[in-house]
Amino acid sequence: MILPATSLYGGTLGLVYFLMTVYVAQYRLAHNILIGDGGNKKLLQIVRGHGNFMEYTPTVLVLLMLAEFQGSHRGLVYLLGGMFTVGRLLYAVHSFFQGSRVFRVLGMLSTVAPMLLLGLVLVKDGLAGYPPTVLLGNDV
C-alpha cells in the first residue's frame, strides 16, 4: 500500500531534522564544544530543540502511518500531518533562532493536538474492528 501523506510528512520532517543536525554540529564546531553544552546557554537551547524534535516526531509519524494505512479519512490524515509539521517548524524556529515565545506555544499545541487526535482515532477504529465478545471475553 502506498502511504502518500506519511511519505510527504516523513520526508519533510526528515529533511528538517537533517538541517537541525547540521546546525547543531556547526554551532558545536564554531564554539569548540564537542561534548555536552560547555555551559553555553544557546547550545543547550538548540540541543534541547533538536532532542525535542526527535522525542515527538517518530511517535506521531507512526500514528500517522497507522491512520493512513487503515484508511482513515484522507483529509484528516493530511490535516493532522500538516499541523504537526508546522508545529515542529515553529518550535524549531523558537529553539534555534530564539524566536518569539508564541512560536514555542503554538509549536507545542500544533504538536500535541495531532498526537492526541490520531491516538483517539486509532483507538476508536481499533475498538470498532473487534466484536464485543473478543474485547470483553467469551462470557458475553
Side-chain angles (χ1 to χ4, degrees), residues 11-122:
T12 300
L13 291 163
L15 292 172
V16 170
Y17 191 69
F18 171 78
L19 293 173
M20 293 170 81
T21 301
V22 169
Y23 186 86
V24 171
Q26 287 177 335
Y27 191 93
R28 284 184 176 284
L29 290 173
H31 293 85
N32 199 30
I33 306 170
L34 301 180
I35 298 175
D37 62 29
N40 183 313
K41 288 186 179 189
K42 171 69 175 170
L43 180 58
L44 176 61
Q45 184 175 347
I46 63 174
V47 165
R48 278 306 309 135
H50 190 238
N52 182 279
F53 187 95
M54 193 46 63
E55 290 163 5
Y56 287 96
T57 301
T59 299
V60 173
L61 283 175
V62 168
L63 294 172
L64 193 68
M65 178 190 67
L66 290 169
E68 187 172 22
F69 184 76
Q70 73 181 20
S72 293
H73 190 276
R74 181 175 291 218
L76 179 67
V77 170
Y78 274 97
L79 175 70
L80 295 177
M83 180 187 281
F84 179 78
T85 301
V86 167
R88 293 289 72 205
L89 290 171
L90 289 172
Y91 196 88
V93 166
H94 165 76
S95 297
F96 280 66
F97 305 109
Q98 298 177 339
S100 167
R101 189 172 194 166
V102 171
F103 287 179
R104 181 179 186 188
V105 172
L106 290 175
M108 282 311 297
L109 289 174
S110 297
T111 293
V112 298
M115 185 169 44
L116 173 64
L117 294 172
L118 284 164
L120 290 172
V121 165
L122 290 168

